[in-house]
Structures are given as structure tokens and as C-alpha cells.
Amino acid sequence: MWKKKDFEEQRELMVKNQIVARGISDPLVIEAMRKVPRHMFVEDSMVYESYGDHPLPIGKGQTISQPFMVASMTEELELKGGDRVLEIGTGSGYQAAILAEIVLEVYTIERVKSLAERAERLLHSLGYNNVNVIVDDGSLGLSEYSPYDAIIVTAASPNIPPPLFEQLKEGGRLIIPVSDIYAQTLIKVIKKKGNQVKQRLYGCVFVPLIGDYGYK
Ligand code: SAM
């Protein structure tokens, strides 16, 4: 049976070999990846694989993303300490915890109630009191607390949901996997003078975004 120290060692190796060695350089992201106990966000049967270089199942047909994907998407958000961020697809809550280590306030939406409840309990037990978990269709965003400095979508969408772009601040960043029939591409959108400035980052694989502006 592994002790806390063993998990810490595994986490250090993950940061060194999977994150820093692959070019992630934002110190805020590296420090967050170093701190958040990823093994607590996976099912009991998966704890010994939790620092592996791959996604893992979290129940209800959903996944916790590969550590590098979490780090890379977070870096692309270009976060600062005072930012307010919206995440679509809470899942295990791991990405929300990484965000919460860096920014002032995190709003995270999950459509599967049991996943949202489990993530909320865990996040609050770990002291992430700046994370607000909401059960809803995240493809509609969360207009009450908008505009956001950054929005991250951790499920694959057929296009860029218009409400998400509307709820972004001027200069704000949106990261979203957008899929066509053959593949998904991670897209970064920056709001400049009200317009979408788009950059295609790289290919990726995510579970689908199910909702009004996602898949039906
Ligand atoms: N960020 C998560 C983590 O750190 O564990 C991983 C997210 S998992 C790849 C995608 C999640 O998006 C699933 O939990 C799924 O239920 C959720 N999802 C799919 N469509 C959604 C929607 N319209 N609104 C909110 N959540 C949605």
C-alpha cells in the first residue's frame, strides 16, 4: 500500500517527465500540477495509475483527462492570479482544482449530477473554497457571473457555442476541443474588439459535450 510520500514522488515524476519535459513553462501551471493530489480525484481501483501519462475512467462513461492535456489547456488560458474562470465539464474536479490553485474564482458546470456532487465534496474537503460547482448544461455558459477572463471546455463540441463567446471578457481566452466527423482539434479563441481571433492548437480526443449548443 502506497503512503502519501509515494504519491508525492509519483507526482514530481509526472511533472518532470510529462509536463516540463514536453515544454510547459508557465510557473503557475507547473506549481499547480505539483500541488494537486491527482490520486484523490480517481476511483479507488485506479489510484496507482493516477500519475500515468493517460486519461482514466471516472464512472458514468466519463474520464479525467491526461495530465499533459490538463497542463497544456491551462497554460493556453494565460491565467493571472485575479482571474475569474468558467470551466465546462467538471468531471472529477481535477481541472477545477488546478485552476483554483492559480486564479481567484472558478465556476465549473457539470451535466451529470452524481459527478458534480462527488467533485464538489472532494474540492471543498481539500479546501478549494474558490470553486463553485453547478449542475446544468454548460453549453449555455453561466451568464449570472459573466464576463469571464477565461473559459475552458473539457468536452468535444461540434462548434464554438455562441453563449460561451458572449460571456468572455474583451481580451478573454476560450479553449475548446471542436470536432468534425474525423477528428477533434483544440481551438483557442481570443476576444479582440468583440471578434473571434482563432488559433488551431493540435489534435485531441474528448468525450462529447451534450447540450443545447453541443451534441443532442
Ligand atoms: N475536467 C474534467 C476533470 O478534470 O476530471 C474532465 C472532464 S470529462 C473529459 C468531460 C465532462 O464533461 C464529463 O464529466 C461530462 O459529463 C461533462 N459534460 C458533457 N456535456 C456537458 C455539458 N453540456 N455541460 C456540462 N458538462 C458536460
Side-chain angles (χ1 to χ4, degrees):
M1 178 114 110
W2 286 11
K3 300 202 169 63
K4 189 167 172 248
K5 184 171 104 344
D6 300 313
F7 288 114
E8 283 168 6
E9 275 172 23
Q10 289 299 308
R11 195 154 64 244
E12 272 306 313
L13 285 174
M14 172 194 85
V15 171
K16 180 170 170 262
N17 298 333
Q18 301 174 37
I19 307 301
V20 177
R22 290 197 185 125
I24 302 295
S25 61
D26 183 336
L28 296 176
V29 177
I30 295 170
E31 197 47 34
M33 298 295 293
R34 221 172 235 144
K35 273 198 193 159
V36 178
R38 182 173 164 93
H39 61 280
M40 298 187 72
F41 290 82
V42 304
E43 293 180 327
D44 289 350
S45 59
M46 300 278 168
V47 286
Y48 299 115
E49 294 181 55
S50 56
Y51 293 100
D53 191 13
H54 44 71
L56 285 169
I58 55 168
K60 303 282 173 192
Q62 306 303 326
T63 53
I64 175 173
S65 304
Q66 178 199 25
F68 174 75
M69 185 59 72
V70 173
S72 173
M73 290 174 83
T74 308
E75 185 168 68
E76 291 293 350
L77 291 173
E78 300 174 39
L79 300 173
K80 294 178 295 302
D83 284 353
R84 294 167 61 260
V85 179
L86 176 66
E87 179 195 19
I88 315 302
T90 313
S92 68
Y94 177 69
Q95 173 75 70
I98 295 289
L99 296 169
E101 286 284 351
I102 300 174
V103 303
L104 186 64
E105 203 73 38
V106 179
Y107 300 88
T108 180
I109 313 180
E110 171 57 56
R111 64 179 281 276
V112 180
K113 190 164 178 250
S114 59
L115 291 179
E117 287 174 348
R118 189 173 69 191
E120 184 176 47
R121 268 197 309 276
L122 176 58
L123 287 161
H124 290 173
S125 76
L126 291 171
Y128 292 111
N129 296 321
N130 57 341
V131 180
N132 308 276
V133 182
I134 296 109
V135 181
D136 211 336
D137 172 7
S139 74
L140 300 166
L142 185 64
S143 58
E144 295 94 299
Y145 304 103
S146 68
Y148 302 96
D149 297 284
I151 301 179
I152 176 171
V153 183
T154 62
S157 178
N159 47 44
I160 296 164
L164 298 187
F165 184 68
E166 279 158 26
Q167 292 170 26
L168 208 52
K169 263 188 198 166
E170 175 61 26
R173 291 80 55 201
L174 165 66
I175 303 290
I176 180 168
V178 175
S179 41
D180 60 29
I181 302 170
Y182 304 105
Q184 296 165 18
T185 306
L186 197 63
I187 306 280
K188 177 171 181 173
V189 184
I190 303 181
K191 194 174 205 170
K192 283 202 176 143
K193 297 191 180 145
N195 295 317
Q196 292 189 3
V197 177
K198 277 192 220 167
Q199 196 186 338
R200 294 167 71 86
L201 298 178
Y202 47 79
C204 55
V205 181
F206 277 85
V207 295
L209 180 77
I210 314 259
D212 282 7
Y213 287 95
Y215 293 96
K216 303 297 170 206

